[in-house]
Structure formats: structure tokens, C-alpha cells
Amino acid sequence: MGTLTYDSTLSADFDDRTLAHLQMVMGAKLRRNEAFYFSWKDDASIGNGRSVIWVHPTIPISFKYFGSRAPSLNRAWIDELMLLANTPAGLYIVPEPTADTAEGEVA
């Protein structure tokens, strides 16, 4: 499990593969100075709720991975997450497209 830390005050755990895809999407948005919402379902251990943050280029964000190797990236999943990030509802995690629907992996 990797950790996304937002503004040094909020941390959320995601598996490394998911976190790597989130990093790609968030990095692309922030490079263009685009702010957006990011929401996720909280773990049962903290109440099974939902968290939402406003991701903005001036607010620090960090990605800490458990594993030492970078996971391969699924271009179709990145594209789908990017489309979500560009909507008024913002970015949220959807299941990774299967090999049947994905166009391939990128290194």
C-alpha cells in the first residue's frame, strides 16, 4: 500500500498500482495549473465514509510507494481517469479496464 499525502495534513492509502495511475493524472493536471476535486471511499477502519479534496497547484501533494519497483501503467486507465478529472465531479477511482478493453501497457 502506498500513501498519498495532501497538504501535510491528510493521508490516504492506495495500492501502489492505483497510486501510480493517480500520480500520472494528477501530475498532468497540475503541470497545466488545473485544479480539480479528487474523491475516494474511506476504509472501513475509519468509518466507511467518503473523502473529497480540492487539488490545487499551490497545495503540496506527495506519493509514497510501498514497493521499490514502479508498476507498469495502463494507458486506457490513465485516459479514463483523466476524463473523470476533467468533469465537474472530479477525479475518483474506477476499476482498471481489463486486458480485453485496454489498448496496452506503458512503461
Side-chain angles (χ1 to χ4, degrees):
M1 285 299 229
T3 303
L4 179 145
T5 303
Y6 181 74
D7 198 23
S8 303
T9 58
L10 176 77
S11 294
D13 294 330
F14 301 95
D15 68 79
D16 279 2
R17 185 163 176 79
T18 300
L19 190 60
H21 285 79
L22 292 173
Q23 179 184 347
M24 295 301 293
V25 172
M26 291 178 174
K29 296 281 289 174
L30 294 174
R31 273 192 306 276
R32 294 190 297 255
N33 286 320
E34 297 174 358
F36 58 98
Y37 286 111
F38 172 50
S39 61
W40 65 90
K41 187 175 188 281
D42 294 325
D43 189 69
S45 66
I46 60 169
N48 255 353
R50 188 171 65 95
S51 293
V52 181
I53 57 175
W54 178 246
V55 181
H56 189 275
T58 62
I59 300 171
I61 189 168
S62 66
F63 304 86
K64 172 69 174 153
Y65 294 90
F66 177 77
S68 60
R69 292 187 180 169
S72 61
L73 298 174
N74 180 329
R75 173 57 65 189
W77 199 13
I78 292 170
D79 291 345
E80 189 171 349
L81 293 170
M82 185 60 82
L83 287 173
L84 291 170
N86 289 326
T87 66
L91 176 62
Y92 56 92
I93 300 169
V94 294
E96 181 174 4
T98 63
D100 295 338
T101 59
E103 293 181 20
E105 306 238 335
V106 293

